[in-house]
Amino acid sequence: MRARKFLVPVALLLVLALATTIVSAQEKKVKWEPWGPRVDQIIMPIIKDSEAQLIAFERGETVVLPGLVRPGDINKVKQNPNADITVNLGFHMFYLCFNMRRGPLDDVAVRQAVAHVTNREQIINQLFQGYMLPLTSFVPQSSPFHNPNVPQYPYNPEKAKEILDKAGYKLDKATGVRIDPKTGKPLRKMKIFTPTYEVAPTSAELGKMIAEAAKAIGLPVEPEPMDFPVMLEKIDVFDFDMYVLAWGLGRIPDYLYTFFHSSQDVEAGYNTPGIRDPELDKAVEAVYYPPDLETAKAAAAKAQVILSQKLPYVTLYSRPYMDAWRKDLVTGYVPMLGYGAAQYNNGWTTLNIRRVQGPGGTIRWLLPEEPKNLNMCVASSAYEWEVLGRIADGLIAVNPETLEDMPWLAKSWKVETWEPEPGKKGTKVTWFLEKGVKWQDGEPFTSADIKFTIEYLKKNEVPLYISDLQDVVKVETPDPYTAIVYFSTVSYWHLYHAAYSFLPKHIWEDVKDWKGFQPWLEPHPKVKGLTKVIGTGPFILKEYKPGEYVRLIKNPIYWRLNPPKK
Amino acid sequence: MGFRTYLIRRIVYALIVLFVILTFNFAVFRLMPGDAEKMIIDPRFSPEARMALRKQFGLDDPPLVQYWKYITSLLRFDLGQSFATRRPVASELAERLPNTIVLFLTAFTLTMVIGTAVGVYAAQHRGTFAETFVTGAGLFTYAVPTFFFQLLLLMLFGYYIRIFPIHGTMSAPPPDGAFLRFLDRVHHLILPAGSNVIIGFGSWALYTRNTMLEALGQDYIITARAKGLPRREILYHHALRSVLPPIVTLIFLSLPGMVTGAVITETIFSWHGVGRYLMDAVLQQDYPAAQGAFYLIALAVIISNFMADLVYGLVDPRIRVGAGERR
Amino acid sequence: MNGETVAGQAAVQPAPRRKRSGIADFWAQYRRRPYGLVGLVMLAMYIAVALAAPLLTPYDPRKTEFFLADRLAAPIWARFIIPRFRNAPPTSRYTIHPDQWKVERQERASLSFEEAGDRGETAVIRFEPSVEGGGGARSELSWKVHYGFNPPNTFEGKVTYRVEAPPDGMTRLSLVIVDPEGKEYDIWGTAVYGEQDWTTAALDSRDLQMKTRLNMTIFDDPAKVIFSTKGDYRLVLKASSESPSAEAKLFLAPAKFNILGILHGLLGADHMGADLWAQLVYGARISLIIGISAAVIGVALGTTIGIISGFLGGPVDEFLMRVADVFLSVPTLPVLIILSAFLGKNMWNIVLLVAAFSWMGSSRVVRSQTLSLKERAFVEAAKAAGASDAYIMVVHILPNVLPLVVANMVLMMPVAILYEASLSFLGLGDPRIPTWGRMLQNARAFGAFTELAWWWLVPPGLAITLLSLSFTFIGNTVNEVLNPRYRERS
Amino acid sequence: MALLEVKDLKMYYRTLRGQVKAVDCVSFEIEKGKALGIAGESGCGKSSMAITVLRLLPSNGHILGGEVRMDGLDLLSMSEEAFRKAIRWSRISMIFQGAMNALNPVHRVGNQIVEAILTHEDVSRQEAVERARRLLDMVGISPRRFNDYPHEFSGGMKQRAIIAMALACNPDLVIADEPTTALDVMVQAQVLRAIQDLREKLALSMMLITHDLSVIAQTCDDVAIMYAGKIVEYGTATEVYKKPLHPYSMGLVSAFPNIAAEKSPVRSVPGFPPNLVSPPEGCRFHPRCPLADDKCKTEEPASVEVGGNHHSVACHKVDVTAGGIDIWVQ
């Protein structure tokens, strides 16, 4: 077993730092076991309206209210004596982006000044009633790659004025606008794009707060709320000064490359600020293609320092995961660092959750959106995975307390290097699979499925997987329980790039139109009562009534049903 | 003008409207900002992946070819694929249509039946409370915004006195047994349909009352009374029967209003129907979906307008027999 | 819209030209109809409110003044009718001027006041240099406030200070709230090493740091705990200094202390703490502007088309009437939804869209009236005299269809208002202006339901209802006066 | 005993503006087999009186006094239901003005006649249809048009169909309310002739309401001139037509082209009928009367019999008018 303890120190530090405040819920020792599931059936009513969600929770029509966001909802839920709220740090980042291609934002002094007038505490307290965490680095606190030791820009308008004065932006007392030293003219009007008040009142208000603070120190900044697609369109062609948006990030900080590498400063690239910095490029390349974890961590730390100096973004806050549970109805929900207790990435809750009165039975689990098409090839939203994630299963699992990798469908693995061609180095990942794992229709799960999935996704250029699989050269299956994936480049992340949930070969090999395939609408060719949504996971899709509910039932042949008796 | 000429004219006319709407539908959605790729913002996406996604929905043909393809595929009810769900819009609409029809027909039938009955009653009881009530209700419900009334009902009966469900078309999951299932559906139907009935019946009753009064003031009604016909006979056989053509026509003419009202009702009561689909799609900039939903709604409206013309032709002897031919 | 039948029905009847025309005569007939008068009075009230909006409320919702009170604060009068608000707090805002601080304790420290430039008067605490073994200097200032309500949800405050001290000096500052029973809550503290220029510390009961300091979890509410009893509270500023080399000075500018109310104003506050009464009052302006301009544009368009169509006849007439038919056959609300999403959420877009889909009724009425006018002698005479078509249409036909147009316009207004409200309600309204539809949308989307905040929901809805009712009354009355078929039979 | 006896009949409409005194103390009699003409300008209460007799008042019309007797039977005190069954159409039928609208456009013409028969007589539908065909034939409409809709009939045909309908139940009295208005002159003549023929053939009693005195002169035995809700002159048709005594009657007589005296110019009575909410004090006609003096303005003239033949007139100036001067010439 080669589970890596790559994050214990930082993660623990963090939890300690916030322990007294945030995590009363985690005072309870998290109890979980890698076996399950413990309920027979999960009914997932689809309730989109947030008020209706609250009422459903109050009435016990759902045992969970996942991902509480609105302060009002949190206040409401916390008054409910039957509610238990779990809190976990998340991988969420809300930021203010600068367009560094345009003056005067090309001057770091101006960006720093804006950073200094950004009052995170006020934003968080007034707009979010204190339920967010201030974010001062480019990797959220929950991540093992978070570097707290980066240059900080605390709220300090005096400091901001000083920086601007020093950089030569003299204040014209008559107009209250500073003069651009390069042109000798007053600074041009700059706009902060925000979503509209309707869509995101807090973002719009936050844009207004920053703009007003900037105006007070002589930077002519105006907020401009606009429709989301219009805003995206403008960002896409780099027609903006500043904008505020959020990212939902992941455990691996490879996004630092996607966001800030100079090669991504192209059409459809995510390097919207347009930062091009050779030193930064080197650092984020090392984050993207690290030979091992230590390199990755060091490079990520360095990248965060450079980013904090150059300031393409002002990072504002990070949203912790707050999930409310009906503790009088269920128990066994497992809080997980970075993912929260209710999210689909957290398979432990799926396995461990049970009714208070005992194992078995039905629980009701809120689905805040339509699960859409339930086709793994195109399933791009979290809501689809809220369902699919409980049907599918991965090669690797993640320890909820430490975020270590744990063997799952793969009982072990090796990450090595190989030579795609003489003189070049690539990565070779070998998976050793558990024996006796079966698809929900009874077919055995083998390395052929892995090979099929990777080749199928690559052959069809399935957009969701293009980035991950672009370096795959070939897949070998020396025996049904060993799969070797060859990559043309060296990166430790390739371990994760081929560790998804897989497609059952016996179903998918006949699928020609992967885009239009709606597996839940097609009955299983052999087994009655099943659809073509087939996984190896703990639950089986029984029924999906669009607009109403999804019904999942326990997989009776799940390979992790009960611990082996000794 | 014989009935056949009349019919052909109406058909041609409906087709022209359909064509105009299709063209509008095509033009507007081609001009709007945003595309499929905007629906997915994922930091893992490389520029290549985003481009691939764009291509998947990409429209590379020249506009006229696109237009031709659009028209032909619409006629085959191929409405494209939703940006948001990546499912065929046609099958998503097909899932929702029955819900909309159920809501719509219930509300519609009840509104018409109750509205007509109350209107007739008020017309024959002039100067009584019933008449005041109908006039008042008609005016008030004309002025009150439907959505406001629905929000009030929802707050009162969904949130305050929690006797009705606040979302959806059925319990999740519905109870076993056909009868219980039916009751469950009815339970979910009461607020959305009922609110429409309450809002709708007032002006309907008022209209019925007015036309009935007009009819009752007609000379042929006095003739009928003079003939010594029983009251009932006069009311139904003469007055109601003679206002039937305008009423039936108006029933069909009010169909479009109720179809479009479904957008708001379904949004408020989280009713899994076509109207809400349109609304969601518009708000999410899911153009194929919005286009499809709009197409369906427009089709329903055109058909009901056509039906109104048809029924008018059938009910009114002046058209049915071919007015003027024998004179 | 449910009302098209009524409006349409009224619109179909052409009003014949009255021989004894004249405004005085019209008014003489109009004033005899109670409904018409009620409508006028109501409309007058709306107009008065719309015009006097800035006088009726100190807040301007276009400036999005937020956080005036706690989120979803109830109206002040809710105290009298809803038990749970019986003793709920309204917003209290205090500015603590330097001279309002009361000295509680001084150890080797002294308090004086001085002007500090644009900061105005400041309090200055001088700390004597600390001595070996003798410890530092300390000072305690307090400010008393009476609190006589149920616990609030939130308090916040600001302390602005400056420290002048030698580099080896350390100045500690903290704020403590002492409740009537003498229990102390240490809500804020900081340590300054050496000098510190003017800085403002924000205190906020929602702040995680304050909660941590008070040993509370993120889900606890310090405000509820601290202000749980009624009586005199003291806000105590504790300052101490260890400054071996020279004297240290602490400057205090006016401080702020606010308790955000659970009750606020005439109609309470929304989810952002913005004043709802202000939104309602300013909403009257917007609704009137939208209703009137959409109706005027729509009816003007309809009149033009109707006159041209009726007067010119032939293929022009056929074409224009077919266009009207097409517009009538289009599902209006969905088209408006799509077009307003397409054109952008802008008030004038909505006005134009509503107008573009509401001219057909008046064009038909005007057309039929024009057809009959065309045959009249005075038109024939004008033609014979060689007047151009345009001249005849403007000078002869237009004045004669005007009464009809007016009635149509008035009846059009509630329809336009309802359309705008529906669009705003669906989230397609102009986000920058306060409208009643948007208030309803916000109420629905931001928690009015779970809080049963009917005072957020009912006023805008009722405002729309009564406004369109008044227009309907007026329109129907105008029609009755101008159109004999509408008069009672007797 | 007269067939129909109307005594001091008073019928007011209640409106928002006050009571409209449409029929005010009207008395007359119709003998069996005789025809009474009622003449006056429109709005003087003629039609109101007709529908009062048949009790077809709108909901705001109220009978405030007087009596209507038929063969001695008090029609006003009968229950609505009894009246409907026993009197309407079976004893009194009516030919309405407005040929266009008296037939229901959505029902077949024949069926509308059949309906009347079936309501009052216990006969089979077959029989009723037969009788309806005969009636149509009688008024000169081909029975083949039995199944036509009213809009397929011409105006004259409609009016004749209505006449046929009025005769469906062999009534004792037919009230004809402006049977010829809205028809063109040729058709008017036809219809009048039809009425005349039938009356003679069937020995019908009739009450003919019209504003055209010459029609009455042709068809009726007696005539009552109504003005502003009151009968101002009553007498035999020939006498009143030849020698009207009331200034209003005189005006009416001279207002219509007299076939006999083609040279006299066509005139009408100047002025308008009064508002019946607040009719003029004294003689209601005084504002329009060239002879009016102070007495006429204050004192209401009683109806006095002048000469024989029950010729009565309500006018203070009978002595002047009886002189036979054409007062409307000056």
Side-chain angles (χ1 to χ4, degrees), chain B residues 19-40:
Chain B
F19 174 75
V20 170
I21 284 177
L22 287 184
T23 310
F24 165 83
N25 210 0
F26 175 80
V28 163
F29 288 102
R30 287 304 170 289
L31 294 172
M32 284 205 192
D35 57 53
E37 171 261 331
K38 296 287 187 306
M39 309 292 294
I40 306 168

Side-chain angles (χ1 to χ4, degrees), chain A residues 418 426-429 471-476 484-488:
Chain A
W418 68 296
T427 308
K428 171 187 172 192
V429 182
D471 293 343
V472 172
V473 178
K474 59 183 173 179
V475 184
E476 282 174 1
I484 311 170
V485 189
Y486 293 87
F487 292 87
S488 60

Side-chain angles (χ1 to χ4, degrees), chain D residues 198-232:
Chain D
L198 289 168
R199 203 169 84 75
E200 278 163 19
K201 214 190 295 181
L202 304 173
L204 279 175
S205 308
M206 188 157 91
M207 178 165 136
L208 177 72
I209 295 171
T210 178
H211 60 278
D212 187 344
L213 262 179
S214 57
V215 170
I216 292 177
Q218 279 175 46
T219 39
C220 296
D221 304 307
D222 293 334
V223 63
I225 310 284
M226 266 188 97
Y227 182 75
K230 287 181 176 294
I231 291 178
V232 292

Side-chain angles (χ1 to χ4, degrees), chain A residues 266-288:
Chain A
V266 291
E267 192 195 349
Y270 281 133
N271 185 351
T272 50
I275 186 168
R276 289 166 175 271
D277 185 284
E279 205 191 348
L280 179 64
D281 279 355
K282 250 175 76 188
V284 294
E285 273 161 30
V287 175
Y288 203 60

Side-chain angles (χ1 to χ4, degrees), chain B residues 134-154:
Chain B
V134 165
T135 325
L139 273 173
F140 188 74
T141 52
Y142 171 60
V144 74
T146 316
F147 59 90
F148 168 58
F149 185 69
Q150 291 175 330
L151 289 176
L152 276 186
L153 286 188
L154 188 64

Side-chain angles (χ1 to χ4, degrees), chain A residues 299-346:
Chain A
K302 179 142 185 249
Q304 287 174 69
V305 172
I306 300 172
L307 285 167
S308 293
Q309 285 162 351
K310 303 285 181 195
L311 273 180
Y313 292 175
V314 180
T315 51
L316 297 173
Y317 61 84
S318 175
R319 186 172 69 226
Y321 275 105
M322 297 193 196
D323 303 307
W325 303 88
R326 283 291 296 257
K327 62 182 177 203
D328 57 328
L329 298 176
V330 288
T331 175
Y333 36 91
V334 185
M336 183 169 177
L337 185 61
Y339 295 105
Q343 216 211 5
Y344 67 91
N345 290 51
N346 179 351

Side-chain angles (χ1 to χ4, degrees), chain D:
Chain D
M1 191 179 10
L3 174 69
L4 186 75
E5 215 177 326
V6 174
K7 216 181 205 173
D8 291 336
L9 187 62
K10 241 188 201 180
M11 194 280 292
Y12 293 179
Y13 293 112
R14 278 190 199 133
T15 71
L16 287 179
R17 268 162 257 137
Q19 289 194 331
V20 177
K21 304 177 179 92
V23 178
D24 211 357
C25 291
V26 167
S27 310
F28 60 85
E29 287 176 2
I30 299 176
E31 298 291 341
K32 211 168 170 68
K34 297 274 179 179
L36 169 72
I38 297 186
E41 288 167 302
S42 55
C44 67
K46 305 174 311 240
S47 297
S48 294
M49 199 189 59
I51 57 174
T52 309
V53 170
L54 256 182
R55 291 175 53 180
L56 293 175
L57 294 172
S59 59
N60 62 340
H62 297 273
I63 298 172
L64 294 173
E67 49 190 40
V68 179
R69 286 178 184 279
M70 189 170 205
D71 287 340
L73 187 67
D74 184 358
L75 295 188
L76 295 184
S77 61
M78 283 173 85
S79 79
E80 172 70 22
E81 191 60 15
F83 183 79
R84 172 179 81 74
K85 283 190 181 144
I87 305 295
R88 285 195 188 137
W89 227 251
S90 55
R91 301 212 58 191
I92 308 176
S93 72
M94 191 160 170
I95 298 166
F96 289 92
Q97 64 174 322
M100 298 309 163
N101 300 321
L103 289 172
N104 193 328
V106 298
H107 293 299
R108 296 172 200 279
V109 175
N111 284 344
Q112 299 192 42
I113 301 174
V114 167
E115 183 184 47
I117 300 171
L118 289 179
T119 306
H120 293 288
E121 290 176 35
D122 191 15
V123 294
S124 72
R125 195 181 153 78
Q126 189 79 37
E127 248 170 277
V129 168
E130 264 318 301
R131 196 197 300 175
R133 285 176 185 275
R134 253 183 287 128
L135 283 164
L136 283 176
D137 194 31
M138 195 158 72
V139 296
I141 295 171
S142 157
R144 268 180 297 149
R145 315 261 333 232
F146 183 90
N147 276 330
D148 279 9
Y149 283 96
H151 71 265
E152 295 167 86
F153 273 30
S154 69
M157 283 168 79
K158 275 189 219 172
Q159 194 61 300
R160 276 181 282 150
I162 292 169
I163 294 168
M165 191 156 76
L167 303 176
C169 300
N170 300 316
D172 300 322
L173 175 69
V174 173
I175 302 177
D177 184 5
E178 305 267 11
T180 57
T181 3
L183 298 176
D184 59 55
V185 187
M186 290 303 291
V187 184
Q188 276 189 14
Q190 279 177 25
V191 171
L192 276 180
R193 203 170 312 127
I195 291 177
Q196 191 70 10
D197 290 352
L198 289 168
R199 203 169 84 75
E200 278 163 19
K201 214 190 295 181
L202 304 173
L204 279 175
S205 308
M206 188 157 91
M207 178 165 136
L208 177 72
I209 295 171
T210 178
H211 60 278
D212 187 344
L213 262 179
S214 57
V215 170
I216 292 177
Q218 279 175 46
T219 39
C220 296
D221 304 307
D222 293 334
V223 63
I225 310 284
M226 266 188 97
Y227 182 75
K230 287 181 176 294
I231 291 178
V232 292
E233 188 164 358
Y234 187 94
T236 60
T238 37
E239 205 172 310
V240 173
Y241 191 64
K242 291 230 175 82
K243 196 176 179 244
L245 288 175
H246 194 278
Y248 180 62
S249 319
M250 294 168 120
L252 279 185
V253 169
S254 54
F256 284 93
N258 192 336
I259 307 156
E262 268 168 56
K263 276 173 228 152
S264 70
V266 176
R267 290 171 305 193
S268 65
V269 186
F272 299 97
N275 177 354
L276 291 182
V277 175
S278 46
E281 293 275 305
C283 173
R284 291 191 179 176
F285 188 63
H286 82 255
R288 297 169 74 185
C289 184
L291 303 175
D293 59 14
D294 285 347
K295 188 181 179 196
C296 297
K297 285 177 191 164
T298 50
E299 205 176 301
E300 201 181 329
S303 188
V304 282
E305 202 155 314
V306 188
N309 286 339
H310 303 290
H311 190 169
S312 59
V313 61
C315 180
H316 294 304
K317 301 284 176 187
V318 187
D319 23 333
V320 182
T321 54
I325 333 148
D326 188 348
I327 57 163
W328 294 99
V329 168
Q330 285 94 30

